[in-house]
Amino acid sequence: MTEGTFIKVGMADLNMGESGAILKTTGLGSCVGLTLFDPQLRIGGMAHIMLPSSDIAREGQLNIAKYADTAVPELLKRMMSKGAVTRRLVAKMAGGAQMFAFMGGTDTMRIGPRNVEATKQMLEHYHIAVVAEDTGGNYGRTVELNTDNGVFSIRSVQHGVKEI
Amino acid sequence: MSLFKNDADFKMDVLREVGNIGAGNAATALSTLLNKPVDMAVPTVSLLPFEAIAERVGGSEAVVIAIFLRVEGDAPGNMFFIINREPARRILQGLLGFNAAENDDYSELELSALNEIGNILAGSYLSSLADFTGLRMSPTVPSLAVDMAGAILSYGMLQFGTMGDDALLIDTTFLEGQQEAEGHFFLIPDPESFDKLFRALGVPI
Protein backbone atom coordinates (compact mmCIF):
# COMPACT_ATOMS: atom_id res chain seq x y z
CA MET A 1 0.00 0.00 0.00
CA THR A 2 2.20 2.75 -1.26
CA GLU A 3 1.65 6.44 -1.21
CA GLY A 4 -1.34 7.71 -3.17
CA THR A 5 -3.01 4.30 -3.48
CA PHE A 6 -6.77 4.59 -3.18
CA ILE A 7 -8.59 2.13 -0.98
CA LYS A 8 -12.30 2.25 -1.63
CA VAL A 9 -14.67 1.74 1.25
CA GLY A 10 -18.14 0.76 0.01
CA MET A 11 -21.48 1.38 1.61
CA ALA A 12 -21.82 -0.52 4.91
CA ASP A 13 -18.15 -1.42 4.68
CA LEU A 14 -14.92 -0.64 6.54
CA ASN A 15 -11.25 -0.83 5.75
CA MET A 16 -7.78 0.26 6.81
CA GLY A 17 -4.78 1.80 5.14
CA GLU A 18 -1.23 2.90 5.93
CA SER A 19 1.91 4.42 4.47
CA GLY A 20 0.18 7.23 2.65
CA ALA A 21 -2.66 5.19 1.17
CA ILE A 22 -5.87 7.16 0.77
CA LEU A 23 -9.10 5.75 2.13
CA LYS A 24 -12.13 6.91 0.21
CA THR A 25 -15.89 6.51 0.39
CA THR A 26 -18.33 8.14 -2.01
CA GLY A 27 -21.87 9.47 -1.92
CA LEU A 28 -22.51 9.73 1.81
CA GLY A 29 -26.04 10.94 2.41
CA SER A 30 -27.58 9.95 5.71
CA CYS A 31 -24.67 7.55 6.17
CA VAL A 32 -21.66 8.54 8.28
CA GLY A 33 -18.07 8.33 7.10
CA LEU A 34 -16.00 7.78 10.23
CA THR A 35 -12.21 7.80 10.17
CA LEU A 36 -9.69 6.93 12.87
CA PHE A 37 -6.04 7.87 12.55
CA ASP A 38 -2.97 7.00 14.55
CA PRO A 39 -0.53 9.85 13.80
CA GLN A 40 2.47 8.02 15.21
CA LEU A 41 2.12 4.85 13.14
CA ARG A 42 0.32 6.61 10.30
CA ILE A 43 -2.42 4.02 10.17
CA GLY A 44 -5.92 5.02 9.21
CA GLY A 45 -9.29 3.31 9.26
CA MET A 46 -12.59 4.23 7.67
CA ALA A 47 -16.14 2.99 8.13
CA HIS A 48 -19.19 3.82 6.00
CA ILE A 49 -21.94 3.50 8.61
CA MET A 50 -25.51 3.16 7.38
CA LEU A 51 -27.66 2.59 10.47
CA PRO A 52 -27.34 3.57 14.15
CA SER A 53 -27.90 0.30 15.96
CA SER A 54 -27.67 -3.43 15.25
CA ASP A 55 -30.65 -3.93 17.60
CA ILE A 56 -32.90 -3.51 14.57
CA ALA A 57 -30.97 -6.03 12.45
CA ARG A 58 -32.94 -8.95 11.10
CA GLU A 59 -30.24 -10.27 8.81
CA GLY A 60 -28.87 -13.77 9.23
CA GLN A 61 -25.21 -12.92 8.87
CA LEU A 62 -24.74 -9.56 10.54
CA ASN A 63 -22.71 -7.07 8.53
CA ILE A 64 -20.92 -5.41 11.42
CA ALA A 65 -19.62 -2.58 9.24
CA LYS A 66 -23.17 -1.35 8.72
CA TYR A 67 -24.17 -0.30 12.24
CA ALA A 68 -22.54 2.35 14.42
CA ASP A 69 -22.58 0.16 17.53
CA THR A 70 -20.74 -2.69 15.80
CA ALA A 71 -18.59 -0.84 13.24
CA VAL A 72 -16.74 1.31 15.79
CA PRO A 73 -15.49 -1.61 17.94
CA GLU A 74 -14.56 -3.62 14.83
CA LEU A 75 -12.58 -0.77 13.28
CA LEU A 76 -10.89 -0.19 16.59
CA LYS A 77 -10.04 -3.88 16.97
CA ARG A 78 -8.49 -4.02 13.50
CA MET A 79 -6.45 -0.89 14.09
CA MET A 80 -5.18 -2.16 17.40
CA SER A 81 -4.13 -5.42 15.78
CA LYS A 82 -1.88 -3.27 13.59
CA GLY A 83 -0.38 -1.68 16.67
CA ALA A 84 -2.53 1.44 16.96
CA VAL A 85 -3.13 2.74 20.48
CA THR A 86 -6.59 3.99 21.45
CA ARG A 87 -5.43 7.08 23.32
CA ARG A 88 -3.47 8.26 20.28
CA LEU A 89 -6.39 7.85 17.91
CA VAL A 90 -7.89 10.88 16.28
CA ALA A 91 -11.46 10.61 15.00
CA LYS A 92 -12.90 12.67 12.16
CA MET A 93 -16.29 12.21 10.60
CA ALA A 94 -18.64 13.52 7.95
CA GLY A 95 -22.10 12.79 6.60
CA GLY A 96 -25.32 12.23 8.49
CA ALA A 97 -27.22 14.61 6.25
CA GLN A 98 -30.95 14.96 5.90
CA MET A 99 -31.20 14.96 2.15
CA PHE A 100 -34.95 15.30 1.95
CA ALA A 101 -37.16 17.68 3.84
CA PHE A 102 -40.22 15.61 4.57
CA MET A 103 -43.26 16.94 6.31
CA GLY A 104 -43.62 15.46 9.77
CA GLY A 105 -40.14 14.02 9.92
CA THR A 106 -40.54 10.35 10.72
CA ASP A 107 -37.79 8.40 12.44
CA THR A 108 -36.51 7.04 9.16
CA MET A 109 -36.11 10.52 7.77
CA ARG A 110 -34.07 11.55 10.79
CA ILE A 111 -31.68 8.69 10.15
CA GLY A 112 -28.72 10.99 9.37
CA PRO A 113 -28.63 12.80 12.73
CA ARG A 114 -29.27 9.49 14.51
CA ASN A 115 -26.27 7.92 12.77
CA VAL A 116 -24.09 10.83 13.91
CA GLU A 117 -25.34 10.62 17.50
CA ALA A 118 -24.84 6.86 17.69
CA THR A 119 -21.32 7.06 16.24
CA LYS A 120 -20.34 9.78 18.73
CA GLN A 121 -21.73 7.76 21.60
CA MET A 122 -19.58 4.80 20.63
CA LEU A 123 -16.46 6.97 20.32
CA GLU A 124 -17.18 8.50 23.70
CA HIS A 125 -17.48 5.02 25.14
CA TYR A 126 -13.89 4.31 24.01
CA HIS A 127 -12.71 7.80 25.04
CA ILE A 128 -11.76 8.77 21.50
CA ALA A 129 -12.10 12.46 20.76
CA VAL A 130 -13.77 13.72 17.60
CA VAL A 131 -11.34 16.44 16.57
CA ALA A 132 -13.17 17.52 13.45
CA GLU A 133 -16.47 16.86 11.76
CA ASP A 134 -18.60 18.01 8.88
CA THR A 135 -21.99 16.51 9.62
CA GLY A 136 -25.63 17.37 9.05
CA GLY A 137 -26.91 19.66 6.35
CA ASN A 138 -28.92 18.47 3.38
CA TYR A 139 -26.26 17.47 0.90
CA GLY A 140 -24.18 14.48 -0.14
CA ARG A 141 -20.47 14.10 0.51
CA THR A 142 -17.48 12.13 -0.71
CA VAL A 143 -14.67 11.83 1.82
CA GLU A 144 -11.01 10.83 1.81
CA LEU A 145 -8.53 10.18 4.58
CA ASN A 146 -4.87 10.59 3.78
CA THR A 147 -3.01 8.10 5.96
CA ASP A 148 0.23 10.02 5.51
CA ASN A 149 -0.88 13.08 7.46
CA GLY A 150 -4.42 12.37 8.69
CA VAL A 151 -5.94 15.08 6.52
CA PHE A 152 -9.63 14.43 5.97
CA SER A 153 -11.07 15.98 2.84
CA ILE A 154 -14.73 16.38 2.04
CA ARG A 155 -16.17 17.05 -1.37
CA SER A 156 -19.77 18.10 -2.04
CA VAL A 157 -21.64 19.31 -5.09
CA GLN A 158 -22.61 22.63 -3.52
CA HIS A 159 -19.55 23.47 -1.47
CA GLY A 160 -16.61 22.04 -3.36
CA VAL A 161 -13.70 20.55 -1.42
CA LYS A 162 -12.71 21.30 2.12
CA GLU A 163 -10.11 19.79 4.40
CA ILE A 164 -10.42 19.27 8.12
CA MET B 1 -29.20 -13.80 -1.39
CA SER B 2 -32.57 -14.90 -2.60
CA LEU B 3 -35.58 -12.99 -1.40
CA PHE B 4 -38.22 -15.47 -2.46
CA LYS B 5 -38.25 -19.08 -1.37
CA ASN B 6 -40.61 -20.45 -4.02
CA ASP B 7 -41.24 -19.58 -7.65
CA ALA B 8 -38.61 -16.86 -7.63
CA ASP B 9 -38.60 -16.48 -11.44
CA PHE B 10 -42.35 -16.22 -11.62
CA LYS B 11 -42.41 -13.68 -8.81
CA MET B 12 -39.80 -11.56 -10.53
CA ASP B 13 -42.02 -11.66 -13.65
CA VAL B 14 -44.98 -10.49 -11.61
CA LEU B 15 -42.94 -7.59 -10.22
CA ARG B 16 -41.83 -6.72 -13.75
CA GLU B 17 -45.49 -6.47 -14.67
CA VAL B 18 -46.06 -4.25 -11.63
CA GLY B 19 -43.35 -1.95 -13.00
CA ASN B 20 -44.83 -2.15 -16.47
CA ILE B 21 -48.27 -1.05 -15.39
CA GLY B 22 -47.11 1.68 -13.05
CA ALA B 23 -44.45 3.16 -15.28
CA GLY B 24 -46.62 2.75 -18.37
CA ASN B 25 -49.19 5.04 -16.86
CA ALA B 26 -46.53 7.47 -15.73
CA ALA B 27 -45.04 7.53 -19.25
CA THR B 28 -48.45 8.37 -20.64
CA ALA B 29 -48.78 11.18 -18.11
CA LEU B 30 -45.34 12.52 -19.03
CA SER B 31 -46.13 12.32 -22.70
CA THR B 32 -49.34 14.31 -22.12
CA LEU B 33 -47.41 16.91 -20.14
CA LEU B 34 -44.78 17.29 -22.86
CA ASN B 35 -47.17 16.83 -25.73
CA LYS B 36 -44.83 14.38 -27.41
CA PRO B 37 -44.33 10.63 -27.34
CA VAL B 38 -42.42 9.17 -24.41
CA ASP B 39 -41.32 5.55 -24.60
CA MET B 40 -40.23 3.28 -21.85
CA ALA B 41 -38.01 0.24 -21.78
CA VAL B 42 -39.20 -3.06 -20.37
CA PRO B 43 -38.74 -2.77 -16.59
CA THR B 44 -35.93 -4.69 -14.99
CA VAL B 45 -36.36 -6.33 -11.62
CA SER B 46 -33.23 -7.22 -9.75
CA LEU B 47 -31.87 -7.87 -6.32
CA LEU B 48 -28.82 -5.63 -6.24
CA PRO B 49 -26.06 -4.82 -3.77
CA PHE B 50 -26.58 -1.28 -2.43
CA GLU B 51 -23.62 0.07 -4.38
CA ALA B 52 -24.90 -1.31 -7.68
CA ILE B 53 -28.16 0.62 -7.48
CA ALA B 54 -26.38 3.95 -7.92
CA GLU B 55 -24.47 2.46 -10.87
CA ARG B 56 -27.79 2.40 -12.75
CA VAL B 57 -27.76 6.17 -12.92
CA GLY B 58 -24.05 6.82 -13.46
CA GLY B 59 -22.44 5.86 -10.15
CA SER B 60 -22.40 6.97 -6.55
CA GLU B 61 -20.93 10.41 -7.26
CA ALA B 62 -22.93 11.23 -10.41
CA VAL B 63 -25.07 14.31 -9.90
CA VAL B 64 -28.71 13.58 -10.60
CA ILE B 65 -32.03 15.27 -10.09
CA ALA B 66 -34.21 13.06 -7.94
CA ILE B 67 -37.71 13.29 -6.63
CA PHE B 68 -38.17 10.99 -3.69
CA LEU B 69 -41.33 9.97 -1.93
CA ARG B 70 -42.50 7.27 0.40
CA VAL B 71 -45.32 5.02 -0.60
CA GLU B 72 -47.72 4.63 2.29
CA GLY B 73 -50.63 2.28 2.79
CA ASP B 74 -50.95 -1.48 2.42
CA ALA B 75 -47.65 -2.07 0.63
CA PRO B 76 -45.19 0.64 1.67
CA GLY B 77 -41.98 1.36 -0.18
CA ASN B 78 -39.70 4.01 -1.62
CA MET B 79 -40.07 5.65 -4.97
CA PHE B 80 -37.62 7.77 -6.93
CA PHE B 81 -38.07 9.60 -10.17
CA ILE B 82 -34.56 10.28 -11.38
CA ILE B 83 -33.97 12.51 -14.30
CA ASN B 84 -30.73 13.42 -15.99
CA ARG B 85 -29.78 17.06 -16.21
CA GLU B 86 -30.09 17.52 -19.95
CA PRO B 87 -33.61 16.07 -20.26
CA ALA B 88 -34.66 18.06 -17.21
CA ARG B 89 -33.68 21.20 -19.06
CA ARG B 90 -35.61 20.14 -22.13
CA ILE B 91 -38.66 19.35 -20.03
CA LEU B 92 -38.55 22.76 -18.36
CA GLN B 93 -38.12 24.44 -21.71
CA GLY B 94 -40.86 22.46 -23.38
CA LEU B 95 -43.29 22.67 -20.55
CA LEU B 96 -42.79 26.15 -19.22
CA GLY B 97 -40.91 27.96 -21.93
CA PHE B 98 -38.08 28.59 -19.48
CA ASN B 99 -34.65 29.15 -20.81
CA ALA B 100 -33.21 26.94 -18.14
CA ALA B 101 -29.80 27.70 -16.73
CA GLU B 102 -26.81 26.05 -18.41
CA ASN B 103 -25.27 25.07 -15.10
CA ASP B 104 -26.78 23.42 -12.06
CA ASP B 105 -28.18 26.61 -10.60
CA TYR B 106 -31.82 25.86 -10.80
CA SER B 107 -34.18 28.60 -9.73
CA GLU B 108 -36.81 28.01 -7.07
CA LEU B 109 -39.42 28.02 -9.79
CA GLU B 110 -37.60 25.42 -11.87
CA LEU B 111 -37.10 23.14 -8.90
CA SER B 112 -40.69 23.52 -7.91
CA ALA B 113 -41.81 22.69 -11.47
CA LEU B 114 -39.63 19.56 -11.52
CA ASN B 115 -40.95 18.53 -8.14
CA GLU B 116 -44.50 18.91 -9.38
CA ILE B 117 -43.74 16.83 -12.46
CA GLY B 118 -42.34 14.13 -10.20
CA ASN B 119 -45.47 14.37 -8.10
CA ILE B 120 -47.77 13.91 -11.07
CA LEU B 121 -45.80 10.98 -12.45
CA ALA B 122 -45.47 9.21 -9.12
CA GLY B 123 -49.18 9.74 -8.52
CA SER B 124 -50.09 8.12 -11.84
CA TYR B 125 -47.64 5.25 -11.22
CA LEU B 126 -49.15 4.53 -7.82
CA SER B 127 -52.80 5.00 -8.70
CA SER B 128 -52.54 2.49 -11.54
CA LEU B 129 -50.76 0.10 -9.21
CA ALA B 130 -53.46 0.56 -6.58
CA ASP B 131 -56.17 -0.12 -9.18
CA PHE B 132 -54.36 -3.20 -10.44
CA THR B 133 -53.75 -4.71 -7.02
CA GLY B 134 -56.72 -3.40 -5.09
CA LEU B 135 -54.26 -2.29 -2.42
CA ARG B 136 -54.26 1.12 -0.82
CA MET B 137 -51.11 2.96 -1.90
CA SER B 138 -50.63 6.67 -1.50
CA PRO B 139 -47.61 8.90 -2.02
CA THR B 140 -46.24 11.24 0.62
CA VAL B 141 -45.43 14.80 -0.32
CA PRO B 142 -42.48 14.49 -2.71
CA SER B 143 -39.10 15.99 -2.01
CA LEU B 144 -36.49 16.97 -4.56
CA ALA B 145 -32.71 16.93 -4.41
CA VAL B 146 -29.99 17.69 -6.93
CA ASP B 147 -27.01 15.79 -5.58
CA MET B 148 -24.83 12.67 -5.68
CA ALA B 149 -26.78 9.57 -6.67
CA GLY B 150 -25.31 7.50 -3.84
CA ALA B 151 -26.34 10.01 -1.20
CA ILE B 152 -29.87 10.20 -2.58
CA LEU B 153 -30.53 6.54 -3.25
CA SER B 154 -29.27 5.36 0.14
CA TYR B 155 -32.62 6.59 1.48
CA GLY B 156 -34.31 3.91 -0.55
CA MET B 157 -32.23 1.17 1.04
CA LEU B 158 -32.81 1.81 4.72
CA GLN B 159 -35.67 -0.67 5.00
CA PHE B 160 -33.64 -3.37 3.25
CA GLY B 161 -30.61 -2.37 5.31
CA THR B 162 -31.74 -4.25 8.38
CA MET B 163 -32.16 -7.44 6.33
CA GLY B 164 -28.96 -7.64 4.34
CA ASP B 165 -26.81 -5.81 1.83
CA ASP B 166 -29.07 -6.02 -1.21
CA ALA B 167 -32.31 -4.36 -2.20
CA LEU B 168 -34.93 -5.33 -4.75
CA LEU B 169 -35.24 -2.66 -7.38
CA ILE B 170 -37.95 -2.29 -10.02
CA ASP B 171 -36.31 -0.01 -12.56
CA THR B 172 -38.01 1.47 -15.60
CA THR B 173 -36.10 3.65 -18.03
CA PHE B 174 -37.82 6.42 -19.94
CA LEU B 175 -36.80 7.22 -23.49
CA GLU B 176 -37.77 10.18 -25.56
CA GLY B 177 -37.86 9.10 -29.20
CA GLN B 178 -34.50 7.63 -30.19
CA GLN B 179 -32.65 9.61 -27.56
CA GLU B 180 -30.70 8.31 -24.66
CA ALA B 181 -32.40 7.48 -21.42
CA GLU B 182 -34.32 10.45 -20.07
CA GLY B 183 -34.69 9.17 -16.61
CA HIS B 184 -35.63 6.32 -14.36
CA PHE B 185 -38.48 5.27 -12.19
CA PHE B 186 -37.23 3.30 -9.21
CA LEU B 187 -39.66 1.45 -7.00
CA ILE B 188 -38.13 -0.27 -3.97
CA PRO B 189 -40.92 -1.91 -2.00
CA ASP B 190 -40.22 -2.49 1.69
CA PRO B 191 -39.27 -6.14 2.33
CA GLU B 192 -42.59 -6.71 4.10
CA SER B 193 -44.59 -5.49 1.12
CA PHE B 194 -43.84 -8.34 -1.28
CA ASP B 195 -46.15 -10.88 0.34
CA LYS B 196 -48.94 -8.32 0.32
CA LEU B 197 -48.39 -7.52 -3.34
CA PHE B 198 -48.30 -11.21 -4.28
CA ARG B 199 -51.36 -12.06 -2.22
CA ALA B 200 -53.28 -9.18 -3.79
CA LEU B 201 -52.38 -10.50 -7.24
CA GLY B 202 -53.26 -14.11 -6.46
CA VAL B 203 -49.67 -15.34 -6.52
CA PRO B 204 -49.04 -18.18 -4.04
CA ILE B 205 -46.46 -17.03 -1.48
Side-chain angles (χ1 to χ4, degrees):
Chain A
M1 290 178 203
T2 49
E3 202 146 323
T5 312
F6 278 95
I7 299 172
K8 188 170 157 44
V9 177
M11 191 173 178
D13 184 18
L14 57 80
N15 213 334
M16 295 201 340
E18 56 193 316
S19 314
I22 293 164
L23 289 156
K24 178 176 185 173
T25 197
T26 59
L28 290 167
S30 61
C31 297
V32 164
L34 166 70
T35 64
L36 298 177
F37 181 63
D38 183 328
Q40 191 169 317
L41 296 181
R42 298 195 304 151
I43 295 175
M46 179 182 276
H48 184 137
I49 294 164
M50 188 180 173
L51 293 165
S53 166
S54 60
D55 289 348
I56 54 169
R58 290 172 295 161
E59 44 190 321
Q61 179 96 40
L62 189 72
N63 175 357
I64 51 180
K66 193 188 294 173
Y67 308 92
D69 65 329
T70 50
V72 174
E74 174 66 16
L75 191 59
L76 203 53
K77 193 178 88 188
R78 290 209 205 168
M79 299 214 29
M80 282 160 72
S81 74
K82 286 268 185 185
V85 175
T86 310
R87 67 179 156 73
R88 282 203 302 257
L89 289 179
V90 171
K92 294 182 182 179
M93 59 197 279
Q98 259 183 299
M99 304 287 296
F100 295 98
F102 266 80
M103 315 287 279
T106 61
D107 245 19
T108 315
M109 291 308 124
R110 247 188 50 77
I111 194 75
R114 284 169 58 213
N115 281 335
V116 173
E117 287 158 23
T119 305
K120 283 186 178 168
Q121 263 176 25
M122 287 310 292
L123 291 169
E124 205 168 297
H125 176 77
Y126 291 103
H127 307 288
I128 299 170
V130 179
V131 298
E133 65 176 299
D134 178 36
T135 54
N138 62 351
Y139 52 91
R141 298 165 171 95
T142 283
V143 298
E144 292 178 12
L145 177 74
N146 185 329
T147 60
D148 186 46
N149 51 18
V151 169
F152 187 53
S153 74
I154 301 131
R155 193 178 74 75
S156 63
V157 175
Q158 307 287 338
H159 307 282
V161 179
K162 69 172 172 181
E163 292 186 344
I164 57 175
Chain B
M1 175 179 136
S2 169
L3 191 64
F4 309 125
K5 286 186 202 83
N6 318 308
D7 305 321
D9 288 348
F10 178 56
K11 284 175 177 167
M12 295 299 244
D13 280 343
V14 169
L15 293 174
R16 201 167 295 124
E17 189 54 22
V18 162
N20 225 345
I21 287 168
N25 255 42
T28 308
L30 183 58
S31 148
T32 308
L33 271 178
L34 299 177
N35 200 21
K36 62 171 111 171
V38 173
D39 280 333
M40 53 178 249
V42 178
T44 63
V45 178
S46 24
L47 191 62
L48 292 172
F50 297 146
E51 298 274 319
I53 292 182
E55 295 299 328
R56 289 285 175 95
V57 292
S60 174
E61 287 190 282
V63 177
V64 295
I65 300 162
I67 291 114
F68 170 50
L69 52 90
R70 276 287 291 166
V71 180
E72 293 180 333
D74 295 329
N78 297 306
M79 179 173 270
F80 295 90
F81 178 55
I82 295 162
I83 179 162
N84 302 334
R85 288 181 283 177
E86 185 53 33
R89 264 199 11 217
R90 280 205 303 277
I91 287 177
L92 287 173
Q93 256 161 4
L95 192 62
L96 308 165
F98 285 172
N99 234 339
E102 288 291 319
N103 50 27
D104 286 334
D105 291 333
Y106 295 92
S107 68
E108 286 284 318
L109 192 59
E110 289 167 327
L111 292 176
S112 152
L114 287 171
N115 203 18
E116 189 49 31
I117 290 167
N119 197 16
I120 292 167
L121 300 188
S124 63
Y125 192 120
L126 286 178
S127 66
S128 64
L129 215 52
D131 287 347
F132 174 58
T133 57
L135 294 171
R136 199 172 49 83
M137 297 172 106
S138 55
T140 61
V141 177
S143 189
L144 178 137
V146 184
D147 214 312
M148 298 175 186
I152 287 171
L153 290 169
S154 62
Y155 276 85
M157 301 162 205
L158 297 171
Q159 285 76 18
F160 266 97
T162 59
M163 308 247 321
D165 296 332
D166 304 274
L168 192 136
L169 170 72
I170 304 173
D171 173 10
T172 315
T173 309
F174 282 90
L175 313 156
E176 192 190 312
Q178 298 300 311
Q179 309 224 29
E180 286 290 293
E182 293 280 298
H184 290 259
F185 244 110
F186 282 0
L187 177 62
I188 305 175
D190 289 359
E192 295 78 10
S193 295
F194 292 103
D195 281 358
K196 287 176 197 150
L197 281 171
F198 292 138
R199 205 171 289 130
L201 295 170
V203 178
I205 295 163

